[in-house]
């Protein structure tokens, strides 16, 4: 097995597990969001690792990298997927943090567990 | 059929005009949202009536399986129409009868609509992920938009579980792409069977986990009660009337097309029996959902858990995978969507009039407001599957299909039938409570003309489908043919034809 | 006759009901009476048009043609006729009962219920039957609840049991359809009877599923506890309908499907006990147990409506026993007792409704001596309980006689003994009710109570006549039976206008009535010639020199009717009465507890991640299972 892929895979797996551990053991919303972020990073790493092969060239036609042969290109699709997923992750994290701030404002706490029943009026 | 792309693009475009206009012309922006949804409903209904055969729409000139394609078939059009109709109803409710919201609220609703339609129409697995995330983000924000702390907490809970689900889905995509080499559903479907069964099972496991989270299947539904309760009632109605439609559709498509290569046999990867998973999780969801709803003191949570149980029945029906079961699924999804919209709209009125969502405090509200009370009763009868109301045909067909199916699915039928008794008890308990003699004079409810029109339409649809199911019946007939792989009109063969293979 | 009349019988009351939802309460009650006149007219127009069929077939996807078939059968028409006669009397009663003070919003739902009832008796396809059955279930729930919290608690108990039965029936209908490919009731009955030789367990499952539905509806064991709640808490005028007609749907179902199936089963396919197939013997014991429970519970009940509800349970037990003999005599006896019970229990509940209408009381020891102020009501109640106790010359005697004849014919000695016990027990509670409510001293509170209003009295008088006629001329009812029996392949019974022949003897209702009339006349003359009575006022009691008021004990507490049968209570202490109720309550509580447990998983956010992980584990487990 290729060393790089091995390192990427193990790294991705452990990142995900660390994140999952964080999600399972915490009730502080900020830590939960951190845990989720770690998991996401792990999975992104996994996708990048899945498309890696040694000696793959950037898949760009032109003179800069001087590659003409299509079969020496690295697969560009996972890169695109990872970019998209990073952007989405960013959006989710931003929204989550905003919600956390709102929670802090309304309840003076960032604990996910509610201490008293919250009123509903609409 | 080529206009189908507008079903996704138009709400997306309209959504982006709202923050621009909203600051200066808030009323115009709300009008745009409502008109957009109305136009979308009309367009999807028109496409549904004009529908002839399933089509693959290529986006941006990139041919499948490399580019993204939309796959328009009868089931997806029916689902899209249901989503649009539900969103329109919920939006009208929020506009005229809910609390005042900023224009961004309507932007989020449009985003959600676009995302749900995208989830339904897309033929690409990664595209599905993107749309699921957009739907997720807009629903978190929508849930948090009301009810103070309760709303925010509900949104956070949903977000945490749904993020875990999206990590699982992304991991599945990575595995699929590195082994099958494509993300187009039809291509993946033909590749899935050649995978190492362990890898195949892993993919199925991860994808099911994420789909079940959206579809509110036990135990992935731990977010449901808080999110439904914390959300403004219009958003609860949307979650129940539109999001579940899309989720049920995705579950069906995943099971039949991607995992199963067309509807029919038991889906199996080595020793990993996918049909068994669908069957047992469906049954467990029904039991837990009905029991939990029975024990609920909060009306919105009760309705949420009733949705959970209905989704359980639908998952159970997906596991049966016969013509009659598909028939039942379509009817059950439509009936559930209509009834839950009606119920949440009326419940929203009760909550805002009485200032609480504890149903025990609603004694006599229906006496003071017989129209709302009556509508609640109709909605309850529609969900319960009482004959002459919409839910009946769905439940009846699913039960018939289960008895016809080989294997042990009859066990599930008896469990579901017994659980329905519990459901009847808690729905009638609340419906009757509304008409009981109150200790103090209950508040009277003011409602706009739009509320009356839209609830009357919903009630008419519930009773109309119950009494005269023929128009839907006529449409639904073709669906099993379209889902099967053995048929030249089937999903996979149509997709391949579009790829020129 | 146009077949559309059949549709009209169903659609017309439902339509009127829907319209009257928008009308004022009082007006809707007039409409209710009017609808019943129309229904009665149409039903009697249909008398000789057996076989008239209305069928609507529509395609429903892969199941092929679904038919909503309505047809007049001998059995269906008999039930239609007796129920519509009884209904019109009850509705006349309700017209006065629902005055300005007492009016409920039940009328529209009751109209829909009548449409559903007609639908049940006319349906010849299971789909139509199921439609009508469900329509009947939930409308009756709303009427029983009628906006009162305790009433609804009783109603939902009834509905849960009934809906459980309905769901079992739905399963049965599908199993039948998948096996026979037909929704038609007559066809499927024949097919399933034949299946007992080839597919025994399948046929047993299907019949058991249907039987559960019908047992639940007619309150046979183990569903015997709902009438004492629902009948007691329902609107007073509706109790008559509930106890008279609605409890018979299950009997109709048994007579329509379950009994014919076992009658048509080829001989030698099933173990025979006491001359009947063993499931029928089981039904006999279920019914016998029901009647014993009904009787014993009625004896110790203090609430008059509850007492009569238990009595209804006991009577349904008799009918069930009669059906289970699986013979033409038993079948006829069951039909006869059904018709009689419809009228006499209807009159009893009508009389009680009149009492409650005037006094507002339901507990017997608070009443007494009402015969002096409400003579017509008293007479109705008197005749009703005489009929219920099975004393000649009233209708109940004839049908009970037939039931015993049928049991002797099959030599079901033990069942007959049990039935005889509960039939005797009926005397204990019926005459206690008569005595406590209508005889004895009149409470000063009710000295100014008036007779029931005119229409109520009028309908009660007609009910009295209807109890007398089948007693003196049993042939007026039994004359219909031979056609019904023939349609299910039973041998005819021997009956003329005033006599009936059983297995061991025959009786002549007219002669018996004449002898009894003479005896009553003699006793009455002796009563007139006898010594003057001394009237004692209610408060004029010997209290050993104590003033009861000091002990805060009102006159009704030392009323002799209070807990009358206390002394014999220990005799029945060994019976596990109420065990089934406890079981249901445990079941309900465990559902609630389980629901709370499920909710608590998601109640706080601390387990969100865990639920996801556990969910994945569940997927793996279910995936690799089996």
């Amino acid at each position: 097995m290729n060393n790089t892929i091995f390192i990427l895979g193990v790294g991705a797996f452990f990142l995900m597990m660390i994140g999952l551990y964080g999600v399972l053991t915490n009730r502080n919303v900020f830590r939960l969001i951190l845990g989720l972020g770690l998991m996401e990073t792990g999975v992104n790493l996994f996708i990048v690792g899945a498309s890696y092969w040694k000696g793959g060239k950037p898949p760009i036609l032109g003179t800069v990298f001087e590659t003409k042969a299509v079969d020496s290109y690295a697969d560009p699709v996972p890169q695109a997927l990872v970019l998209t997923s990073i952007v989405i992750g960013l959006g989710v994290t931003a929204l989550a943090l905003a919600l956390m701030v709102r929670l802090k404002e309304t309840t003076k706490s960032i604990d996910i567990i509610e201490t008293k029943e919250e009123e509903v009026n609409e | 059929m080529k206009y189908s792309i507008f079903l996704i693009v138009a709400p997306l475009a309209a959504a982006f005009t709202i923050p621009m206009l909203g600051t200066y012309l808030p009323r115009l922006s709300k009008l745009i949202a409502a008109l957009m949804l109305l136009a979308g409903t009309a367009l999807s209904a028109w496409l549904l009536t004009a529908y002839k055969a399933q089509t693959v729409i290529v986006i941006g000139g990139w041919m499948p399986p490399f580019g993204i394609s939309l796959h328009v078939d009868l089931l997806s059009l029916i689902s899209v129409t249901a989503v649009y109709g539900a969103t329109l109803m919920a939006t009208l409710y929020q506009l005229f009868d809910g609390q005042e919201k900023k224009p961004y609220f309507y932007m989020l609703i449009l985003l959600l609509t676009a995302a749900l339609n995208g989830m339904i129409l897309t033929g690409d697995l990664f595209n599905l992920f993107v749309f699921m995330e957009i739907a997720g983000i807009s629903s978190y924000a929508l849930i948090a938009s009301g009810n103070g702390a309760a709303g925010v907490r509900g949104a956070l809970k949903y977000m945490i579980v749904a993020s875990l689900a999206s990590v699982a889905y992304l991991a599945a995509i990575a595995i699929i792409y590195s082994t099958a080499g494509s993300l187009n559903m039809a291509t993946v479907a033909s590749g899935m069977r050649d995978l190492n069964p362990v890898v195949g099972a892993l993919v199925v496991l991860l994808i099911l986990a994420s789909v079940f989270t959206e579809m509110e299947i036990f135990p992935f539904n731990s977010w449901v009660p808080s999110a439904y309760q914390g959300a403004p009632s219009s958003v609860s109605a949307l979650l129940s009337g539109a999001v579940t439609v899309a989720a049920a559709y995705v579950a069906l498509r995943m099971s039949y097309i991607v995992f199963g290569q067309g509807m029919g046999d038991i889906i199996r990867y080595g020793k990993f029996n996918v049909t068994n998973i669908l069957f047992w999780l469906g049954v467990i969801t029904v039991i837990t959902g009905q029991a939990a709803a029975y024990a609920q003191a909060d009306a919105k949570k009760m309705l949420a858990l009733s949705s959970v149980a209905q989704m359980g029945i639908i998952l159970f029906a997906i596991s049966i995978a016969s013509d009659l079961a598909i028939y039942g699924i379509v009817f059950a999804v439509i009936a559930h969507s209509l009834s839950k919209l009606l119920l949440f709209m009326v419940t929203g009125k009760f909550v805002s009039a009485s200032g609480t969502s504890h149903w025990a405090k609603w004694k006599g509200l229906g006496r003071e407001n017989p129209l709302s009370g009556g509508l609640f009763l109709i909605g309850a009868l529609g969900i319960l599957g009482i004959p002459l109301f919409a839910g009946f045909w769905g439940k009846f067909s699913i039960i018939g299909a289960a008895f016809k199916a080989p294997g042990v699915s009859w066990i599930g039928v008896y469990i579901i039938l017994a659980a329905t008794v519990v459901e009847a008890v808690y729905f009638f308990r609340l419906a009757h409570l509304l008409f009981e003699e109150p200790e103090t004079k209950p508040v009277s409810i003011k409602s706009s003309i739009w509320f009356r029109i839209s609830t009357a339409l919903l009630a008419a649809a519930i009773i109309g489908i119950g009494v005269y199911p023929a128009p839907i019946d006529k449409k639904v007939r073709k669906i099993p043919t379209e889902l099967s792989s053995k048929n030249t009109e089937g999903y996979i063969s149509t997709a391949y034809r579009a790829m020129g293979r | 006759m146009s077949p559309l009349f059949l549709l009209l019988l169903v659609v017309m009351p439902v339509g009127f009901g829907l319209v009257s939802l928008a009308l004022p309460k009082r007006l809707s009650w007039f409409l209710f009476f009017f609808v019943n006149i129309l229904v009665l007219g149409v039903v009697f127009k249909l008398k000789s048009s057996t076989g008239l069929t209305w069928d609507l077939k529509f395609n429903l996807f892969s199941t092929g043609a679904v038919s909503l078939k309505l047809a007049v059968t001998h059995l269906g028409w008999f039930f239609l006729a007796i129920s519509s006669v009884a209904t019109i009397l009850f509705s006349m009663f309700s017209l006065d009962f629902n005055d300005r003070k007492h009016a409920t919003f039940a009328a529209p739902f009751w109209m829909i219920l009548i449409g559903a009832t007609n639908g049940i008796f006319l349906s010849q396809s299971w789909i139509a039957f199921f439609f009508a059955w469900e329509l009947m279930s939930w409308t009756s729930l709303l009427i029983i609840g009628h906006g009162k919290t305790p009433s609804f608690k009783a109603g939902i108990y009834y509905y849960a049991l009934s809906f459980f039965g309905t769901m079992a029936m739905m399963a049965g209908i599908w199993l039948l359809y998948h096996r026979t490919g037909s929704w038609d009731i007559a066809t499927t009955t024949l097919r399933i009877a034949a299946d007992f030789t080839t597919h025994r367990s399948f046929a047993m499952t299907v019949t058991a599923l249907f039987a559960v539905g019908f047992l639940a509806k007619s309150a046979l064991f183990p569903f015997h506890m709902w009438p004492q709640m629902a009948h007691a808490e329902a609107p007073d005028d509706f109790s008559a309908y509930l106890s008279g007609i609605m409890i018979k749907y299950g009997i109709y179902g048994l007579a329509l499907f379950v009994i014919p199936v076992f009658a048509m089963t080829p001989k030698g396919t099933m173990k025979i006990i006491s001359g009947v197939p063993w499931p029928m013997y089981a039904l006999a014991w279920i019914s016998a147990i029901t009647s014993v429970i009904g009787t014993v519970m009625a004896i110790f009940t203090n609430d008059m409506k509850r007492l009569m509800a238990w009595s209804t349970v006991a009577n349904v037990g008799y009918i069930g026993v009669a059906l289970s003999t699986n013979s033409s005599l038993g079948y006829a006896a069951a039909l006869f007792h059904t018709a009689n019970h419809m009228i006499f229990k209807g009159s009893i509940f009508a009389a009680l409704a009149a009492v409650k209408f005037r006094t507002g009381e339901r507990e017997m020891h608070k009443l007494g001596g009402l015969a002096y102020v409400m003579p017509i009501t008293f007479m109705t109640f008197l005749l009703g309980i005489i009929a219920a106790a099975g004393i000649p010359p009233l209708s109940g005697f004839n049908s009970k006689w037939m039931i015993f004849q049928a049991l002797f014919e099959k030599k079901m000695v033990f069942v007959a003994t049990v039935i005889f016990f509960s039939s005797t027990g009926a005397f204990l509670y019926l005459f206690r009710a008569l005595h406590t409510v209508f005889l004895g001293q009149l409470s000063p509170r009710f000295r100014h109570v008036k007779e029931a209003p005119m229409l109520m009295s009028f309908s009660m008088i007609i009910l009295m006549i209807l109890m007398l006629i089948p007693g003196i001329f049993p042939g007026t009812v039994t004359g219909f039976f031979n056609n019904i029996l023939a349609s299910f392949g039973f041998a005819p019974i021997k009956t003329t206008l005033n006599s009936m022949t059983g297995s061991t003897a025959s009786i002549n209702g007219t002669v018996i009535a004449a002898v009894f009339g003479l005896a009553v006349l003699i006793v009455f003359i002796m009563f007139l010639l006898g010594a003057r009575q001394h009237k004692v006022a209610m408060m004029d009691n010997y209290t050993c020199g104590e003033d009861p008021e000091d002990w805060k004990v009102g006159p009704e507490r030392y009323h002799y009717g209070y807990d009358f049968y206390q002394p014999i209570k220990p005799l029945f202490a060994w019976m596990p009465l109420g065990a089934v109720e406890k079981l249901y309550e445990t079941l309900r509580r465990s559902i609630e507890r389980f629901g709370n447990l499920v909710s608590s998983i998601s109640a706080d956010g601390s387990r969100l991640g865990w639920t996801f992980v556990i969910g994945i584990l569940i997927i793996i487990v279910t995936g690799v299972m089996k």
Side-chain angles (χ1 to χ4, degrees), chain B residues 157 160-161 164-165 168 205 208-209 212-213 218-223 225-226 271-273 276-277 280-281 284 287-288 291-292 294-296 305 323-324 327 363 367 377 381 384-389 392-393 395-397 399-401 403-404 408 414 417 420-422 424-425 428-429 432 435-437 469 473 476-477 480, chain C residues 58-63 66 105 109 127 130-131 134-135 138 141-142 144-149 151-152 156 159-161 163-164 167-168 170-175 177-178 183 205 209 588 591-596 598-599 601-605 607-609 611-626:
Chain B
K157 286 183 181 176
I160 289 164
V161 184
L164 288 173
L205 170 71
L208 279 187
F212 285 168
T213 307
F218 184 86
F220 300 95
N221 57 11
S222 50
W223 57 274
S226 309
K271 279 186 181 165
F272 199 66
N273 188 335
N276 219 6
I277 299 173
W280 282 112
L281 265 86
I284 295 173
I287 300 172
T288 52
Y294 177 74
Q296 268 306 329
L305 288 161
D323 293 8
L324 197 55
Y327 185 75
K363 215 175 198 178
R367 279 191 177 222
L377 182 63
L381 291 168
L384 279 175
I386 302 285
L388 304 177
F389 294 89
F392 173 71
W393 299 110
K395 190 169 278 179
F396 195 63
S397 318
I399 283 161
F403 272 124
K404 208 171 187 181
V408 293
Y414 289 122
L417 287 176
T420 312
V421 178
V422 179
V425 171
F428 276 114
R429 183 175 65 186
H432 190 270
F435 290 98
E436 281 172 19
E437 280 165 357
D473 172 58
V476 178
R477 264 153 215 267
Chain C
F58 55 96
N59 277 325
L60 199 69
F61 196 52
S62 61
T63 61
V66 168
F105 56 73
F109 295 110
I127 298 248
F130 190 77
F131 271 44
E134 285 257 42
L135 188 63
W138 67 266
L141 167 66
L142 294 183
I144 294 171
H146 75 292
K148 300 224 163 39
T149 314
S151 300
F152 181 73
I156 197 72
Y159 189 76
L161 292 181
F163 198 65
F164 177 75
M167 291 292 109
M170 196 205 279
I173 290 174
W174 267 115
L175 284 172
Y177 177 76
H178 285 323
W183 303 106
T205 314
L209 285 169
R588 192 197 69 78
I591 291 172
E592 195 167 15
R593 234 178 258 159
F594 177 62
N596 278 324
V598 173
S599 300
I601 294 172
S602 55
D604 63 25
R607 302 186 193 89
L608 288 170
T611 55
F612 194 85
V613 174
I614 289 167
I616 287 183
L617 289 178
I618 291 181
I619 292 185
I620 294 172
V621 169
T622 51
V624 291
M625 208 166 65
K626 211 161 33 114

Side-chain angles (χ1 to χ4, degrees), chain A residues 16 20 23 29 32 36 39-40 43-44 46-47 50 75 77-78 81 84-85 88 92 95-96 99 102-103 106-107 111-114 117-122, chain B residues 99 101 126 129-130 133 137 140 144 146-147 149-150 152-153 155-157 159-160 163-164 167 170-171 174 177-178 183 229 232-233 300 351-352 355 357-358:
Chain A
M16 276 197 266
L20 185 62
V23 174
V29 173
L32 286 172
L36 291 173
M39 285 184 83
E40 245 167 45
V43 101
N44 289 342
F46 183 59
I47 300 175
D75 189 350
V77 176
L81 299 186
T84 319
S85 119
I88 289 173
V92 173
L95 183 66
L99 288 176
R102 180 80 83 77
L103 191 68
T106 47
T107 64
D111 196 333
I112 189 76
I113 299 170
E114 63 207 68
E117 201 180 351
E118 281 151 359
E119 279 180 12
V120 171
N121 57 12
E122 66 172 315
Chain B
Q99 285 180 8
K101 297 281 179 206
F126 191 75
F129 167 75
V130 174
E133 286 300 302
I137 291 173
Y140 314 147
N147 284 331
V152 178
R153 208 180 288 282
L156 273 171
K157 286 183 181 176
M159 193 217 76
I160 289 164
S163 299
L164 288 173
V167 168
L170 261 184
Y177 188 79
S178 57
L183 289 171
Q229 184 211 21
S233 289
K300 284 174 85 176
V351 174
S352 52
S357 58
H358 282 254

